[in-house]
Amino acid sequence: MNWTINDLHIILVGTLCAIACALPGTFLLLRRMSMMGDAISHAVLPGLAIAFLLTGTRSSSWMFLGAALAGIFTALFTQWITRFGKVERGAAMGIVFTTLFALGLIIIKQSADHVDLDPACVLYGALEYTPLHLVTLLETSDHLIQIPRAALLLAGTLIFNILIITLFFKELTLSSFDPHLAQTQGFRPMLMHYLLMTMVAITTVAAFEAVGSIIVIAMLIVPPATAYLLTRRLSTLIITSLSIAALSAILGHLSSQALPHLLGLPETSSSGMIATTAGLLFLLAWLLGPDGLLKKQKKPPLRNPR
Amino acid sequence: MDLELLRETLLLEQHNTRLVVISVALLGATAGLIGSFLLLRKQSLLGDALSHATLPGIGIAFALMSAMGLSGKNLPGLLTGATITGLLGVLLVLAIRRTTRLKDDAAMGIVLSVFFGLGVAILNMVQTIPGQSSAGLDSFIYGSTASIVWSDFHLITGTLLITTAATFLLLKELTLLCFDSHFASTQGWPTLWLDIILMALVTAVTVIGLQAVGLILIIAFLITPPTAARFWTNQLGHMLWIATLIGAVSGWIGASLSALYSDLPAGAIIVITAAIIFLISMIFGKTRGVLPRYLRHLKLQRKIGRQHLLRSTYEILENTQNHQNHSPLKNLPIPMEQLRRHRYWAKGELSKLIRQARTEDHIEQQPSGELRLSESGFGEASRITRNHRLWELYLIKHADIAPSHVDRDADMVEHLLGAEIVQQLEAQLALTKPDIQSPHQI
């Protein structure tokens, strides 16, 4: 393959995105809410569309606000339907995000003349095109350091996520493992829930334009799940899941460039291959990890829980 | 908006849309039926994992058929590919759940995102295969009803009929699986296989609906109608019918509207229609809807408040008249403050209760501000007090609860005692006299 500076840029963006997603994803996993990442990343569509319609611009800040609000509303509506309607959470989530996604599709189709937004773009993103929008970090007589605009945005998101998680580490951890204890200790688990949902929504929105929601969903869920199979300590879990996310992004992009050539085809979508690579890493952990399938014969489990 | 055209489409008088409307309505009906079991099994989102997992199958089938020199867009071929990877995805979810510490949501999320990513990667590759146009494969993601033709119609209706027939044949087994899978497995039912069969039925509906509704929104067909139906009934049979009906109506309206307005995507309209029905059901649903439940709760609260008020009044009358000497109890006025102290009522709460009791003619307020039971109120109060004591005596005798603790326990249940239970209590305790002494100090 032809290695260019573009590949470096794509890997940079992909890795930043993967890490930014895996961080809140770890807490989603601990709360058994991984599917919320999927729901939110679908449901941001109407937020984007309405923001476009109202402002008539592709101004990032309005889009950002609209989509983040839509994401938070997803969490809110799901909570309401679960609580007031006594509906199982999975079903409530499914209803909310499909409805919002459908609403977004209709708005976009109806105002195709005003809205320059392709729903496909929300799913696939345009990771391959991120090197086209560069911003200059440092410019001297003999150095010119430029990075993609998306990388800057995602780095900001990553820093935001790190900040929030460091600030509320104790609260998030306690409310993830034992919400009732957290409640009695005055840690407000519901507030933590919505904080986490806000974090997921913001990450999704920041990532969508650059990389599409496939990577977001995959990176929210798969690296933490893989790490979960490898360790039982929270600190190790977070670090492992971030490393796996970064590894998936790097290997994913490389394989998207290299693999199809073996079949005589041109390169394929980096986003898709990053998700696939994460899946393969999960498969490895599943088969070969400490409790891996291939090691089960030595140490039979005590009892099958189901 | 052309109302005449809309009417014709809804009534299937338009020849060229009839096919689409019928097949989507049938699809909605079947999805509602099978989705009900999925909902009761608490596996609704599995449909999402499944529908996303079909994408690589579509891509691979397209590539294989192109390689064999066939048309890459042969629908049965594409759907076979979708079925294979879809089932593979579901089996992986079941396997991850059974063999790792990961829970449902993570297992579904992994399969969903990885398979979808793989699908996108494969589609991206095969789109460049020379000599084949892959345009239209995207319609499996967002759905388009316009592409349904006669041959597809046979395929769709055939599959749906088979799925429905299979569901009815396995009605008993699936019901058992959904309501008590542990009991089912202790009785020797192969629950794993039943789960797999249920998933196969879901797969069939999902795959057949991909083309029309698209893989992102197809799960709304599986989730929304059954969840809406659940608000109207507690009986499985009724729920299945209602869910089928809601699914059919959403499909019918959605397909009609999108046939008329080509820029309205069918899948999205169907989902919105179903969501509106869901919202109405959630608020007004007879059995579990929010509003009826709230009204029932309010009614019960009023009943409990009234009974507390009447019993307290009766107890005060007993205490002040030294009821031990078997002279008949006289209905005398009592001061409000004494009543308030008897149950530690807040002032506002008590006056609200009294206002209610006055509208029901149970209590009269004297000009001096004292309260007096009306004739009907006195009878009711003595009945309620008697029921309370019957239940207390029962608890003391048969549940071994100390007399000093029995008051609160009785309070939880006494409001729900019907005439029949009171008779049973009387028989159990061999008590038939109209007056019963309280077993404890009031």
Side-chain angles (χ1 to χ4, degrees):
Chain A
M1 62 182 278
N2 283 328
W3 182 262
T4 66
I5 185 78
N6 282 355
D7 292 300
L8 205 61
H9 282 157
I10 291 173
I11 286 180
L12 178 68
V13 173
T15 311
L16 279 173
C17 170
I19 296 176
C21 291
L23 206 51
T26 312
F27 287 94
L28 279 184
L29 180 88
L30 292 178
R31 291 166 169 253
R32 299 175 188 180
M33 299 193 62
S34 294
M35 288 301 275
M36 206 65 204
D38 171 51
I40 287 185
S41 54
H42 281 99
V44 294
L45 193 63
L48 293 169
I50 292 173
F52 268 138
L53 268 189
L54 289 183
T55 61
T57 59
R58 276 192 77 133
S59 148
S60 286
S61 49
W62 283 110
M63 262 171 31
F64 207 87
L65 189 70
L69 277 180
I72 294 165
F73 274 126
T74 315
L76 210 59
F77 289 154
T78 308
Q79 191 69 27
W80 285 350
I81 294 181
T82 316
R83 206 165 104 206
F84 298 120
K86 297 193 188 296
V87 174
E88 182 226 340
R89 193 167 65 187
M93 208 187 283
I95 292 173
V96 171
F97 92 77
T98 48
T99 309
L100 287 177
F101 190 80
L103 208 63
L105 270 187
I106 292 178
I107 296 175
I108 290 175
K109 291 270 181 173
Q110 280 298 292
S111 42
D113 311 334
H114 317 290
V115 177
D116 175 28
L117 179 72
D118 179 6
C121 175
V122 180
L123 281 185
Y124 311 141
L127 189 52
E128 288 78 3
Y129 300 118
T130 45
L132 295 180
H133 304 278
L134 292 177
V135 284
T136 307
L137 276 191
L138 182 71
E139 194 172 6
T140 57
S141 52
D142 46 8
H143 288 293
L144 177 64
I145 300 183
Q146 287 183 312
I147 58 164
R149 203 179 65 86
L152 211 59
L153 185 66
L154 285 167
T157 316
L158 178 61
I159 291 170
F160 172 77
N161 284 352
I162 293 176
L163 209 67
I164 296 280
I165 286 184
T166 329
L167 272 179
F168 295 100
F169 189 73
K170 186 177 57 189
E171 287 85 348
L172 275 170
T173 312
L174 183 60
S175 63
S176 300
F177 284 104
D178 196 340
H180 297 291
L181 180 65
Q183 180 85 53
T184 57
Q185 303 284 309
F187 282 115
R188 328 243 335 237
M190 271 327 273
L191 201 69
M192 287 301 120
H193 169 77
Y194 284 115
L195 184 73
L196 188 62
M197 290 304 132
T198 313
M199 218 153 61
V200 173
I202 287 177
T203 313
T204 312
V205 181
F208 112 90
E209 197 185 9
V211 298
S213 56
I214 305 168
I215 296 197
V216 178
I217 303 169
M219 289 303 135
L220 276 172
I221 301 172
V222 187
T226 313
Y228 194 74
L229 295 182
L230 299 175
T231 174
R232 287 178 185 244
R233 289 188 64 85
L234 181 60
S235 50
T236 332
L237 179 71
I238 294 177
I239 293 169
T240 320
S241 108
L242 296 187
S243 323
I244 292 173
L247 198 64
S248 314
I250 299 168
L251 291 181
H253 176 67
L254 294 183
S255 58
S256 81
Q257 302 300 302
L259 267 186
H261 286 296
L262 300 178
L263 297 167
L265 295 165
E267 60 267 20
T268 176
S269 143
S270 298
S271 321
M273 282 315 287
I274 290 176
T276 312
T277 313
L280 289 178
L281 291 177
F282 173 80
L283 194 67
L284 282 181
W286 187 17
L287 296 177
L288 306 172
D291 298 321
L293 277 188
L294 299 183
K295 295 192 176 171
K296 274 262 158 83
Q297 291 91 338
K298 289 179 209 155
K299 196 184 72 180
L302 284 176
R303 251 185 99 230
N304 202 335
R306 239 171 226 262
Chain B
M1 184 184 273
D2 192 339
L3 282 177
E4 182 59 20
L5 204 59
L6 178 66
R7 193 188 62 82
E8 279 180 9
T9 314
L10 280 176
L11 296 179
L12 306 175
E13 284 166 13
Q14 283 278 324
H15 179 70
N16 39 354
T17 57
R18 198 182 296 162
L19 218 68
V20 173
V21 175
I22 292 178
S23 39
V24 176
L26 276 178
L27 176 70
T30 319
L33 180 69
I34 290 168
S36 301
F37 291 106
L38 206 58
L39 176 75
L40 294 174
R41 190 89 180 92
K42 298 196 166 70
Q43 296 293 327
S44 294
L45 284 181
L46 199 55
D48 198 27
L50 189 150
S51 63
H52 282 78
T54 56
L55 196 60
I58 292 172
I60 294 171
F62 179 80
L64 282 181
M65 287 190 294
S66 306
M68 289 188 297
L70 299 163
S71 157
K73 275 191 281 183
N74 178 319
L75 188 66
L78 290 179
L79 294 189
T80 312
T83 311
I84 292 171
T85 51
L87 270 181
L88 185 69
V90 173
L91 291 180
L92 272 177
V93 172
L94 295 180
I96 292 175
R97 217 163 60 188
R98 276 175 180 252
T99 59
T100 69
R101 292 186 293 133
L102 291 166
K103 299 292 177 297
D104 268 1
D105 63 310
M108 291 187 284
I110 292 166
V111 168
L112 177 148
S113 56
V114 172
F115 272 68
F116 193 61
L118 184 65
V120 169
I122 292 178
L123 278 191
N124 239 310
M125 277 191 264
V126 299
Q127 265 166 7
T128 50
I129 293 177
Q132 288 278 1
S133 152
S134 66
L137 284 189
D138 271 0
S139 82
F140 284 104
I141 296 179
Y142 295 103
S144 98
T145 43
S147 54
I148 296 178
V149 293
W150 253 115
S151 55
D152 303 348
F153 181 71
H154 290 304
L155 184 68
I156 292 175
T157 42
T159 314
L160 294 181
L161 283 180
I162 293 171
T163 339
T164 313
T167 313
F168 277 112
L169 277 178
L170 292 171
L171 201 58
K172 184 183 70 186
E173 286 79 1
L174 290 177
T175 311
L176 184 60
L177 178 75
C178 293
F179 282 99
D180 201 338
S181 61
H182 294 289
F183 174 71
S185 59
T186 58
Q187 292 292 304
W189 291 99
T191 45
L192 178 63
W193 280 105
L194 283 175
D195 254 336
I196 292 177
I197 290 174
L198 177 60
M199 292 315 147
L201 293 176
V202 175
T203 313
V205 177
T206 310
V207 167
I208 214 71
L210 279 184
Q211 189 193 17
V213 189
L215 63 83
I216 295 173
L217 293 178
I218 183 79
I219 63 147
F221 247 2
L222 288 166
I223 300 181
T224 314
T227 316
R230 187 70 187 84
F231 287 111
W232 295 98
T233 175
N234 276 330
Q235 274 182 298
L236 179 71
H238 295 172
M239 179 180 159
L240 292 180
W241 280 114
I242 300 173
T244 309
L245 190 72
I246 294 177
V249 168
S250 327
W252 180 37
I253 296 179
S256 305
L257 281 179
S258 77
L260 286 182
Y261 308 100
S262 56
D263 51 350
L264 288 181
I269 298 287
I270 294 168
V271 172
I272 300 282
T273 316
I276 292 172
I277 298 179
F278 168 80
L279 196 66
I280 295 172
S281 306
M282 177 168 152
I283 297 173
F284 299 105
K286 210 175 109 223
T287 324
R288 284 162 64 101
V290 174
L291 197 62
R293 250 194 10 240
Y294 179 69
L295 290 178
R296 278 200 297 274
H297 175 76
L298 223 57
K299 206 175 145 197
L300 184 66
Q301 286 295 335
R302 277 180 75 123
K303 185 177 161 194
I304 291 175
R306 187 186 69 212
Q307 295 196 343
H308 282 164
L309 181 71
L310 292 179
R311 180 155 64 84
S312 302
T313 324
Y314 195 82
E315 283 169 359
I316 291 173
L317 287 176
E318 278 183 339
N319 281 351
T320 48
Q321 293 176 34
N322 193 9
H323 196 40
Q324 254 63 358
N325 53 17
H326 295 285
S327 60
L329 199 64
K330 280 185 292 252
N331 186 9
L332 298 175
I334 51 172
M336 195 151 154
E337 189 53 31
Q338 195 181 0
L339 189 60
R340 199 174 72 76
R341 260 182 285 124
H342 188 76
R343 257 195 105 88
Y344 307 101
W345 268 305
K347 266 200 179 103
E349 208 185 336
L350 181 60
S351 32
K352 201 175 113 192
L353 284 177
I354 290 173
R355 228 178 303 128
Q356 270 174 30
R358 281 175 69 185
T359 57
E360 285 155 356
D361 270 340
H362 284 317
I363 234 168
E364 294 157 357
Q365 196 150 18
Q366 305 278 1
S368 58
E370 294 191 321
L371 294 165
R372 186 172 174 277
L373 288 170
S374 71
E375 204 162 313
S376 68
F378 189 71
E380 180 76 359
S382 97
R383 188 185 69 80
I384 290 165
T385 314
R386 185 166 183 273
N387 284 356
H388 175 73
R389 289 179 188 164
L390 269 174
W391 187 246
E392 280 182 338
L393 288 171
Y394 177 79
L395 285 180
I396 291 169
K397 194 168 170 193
H398 294 279
D400 258 348
I401 295 176
S404 54
H405 284 59
V406 86
D407 192 25
R408 274 193 70 97
D409 291 339
D411 202 42
M412 312 277 255
V413 182
E414 63 182 88
H415 310 288
L416 305 170
L417 294 181
E420 203 175 311
I421 299 179
V422 169
Q423 275 177 11
Q424 279 180 22
L425 285 174
E426 284 172 344
Q428 281 267 337
L429 299 164
L431 273 174
T432 45
K433 53 182 182 182
D435 275 340
I436 298 175
Q437 295 287 324
S438 175
H440 57 84
Q441 194 80 33
I442 298 170

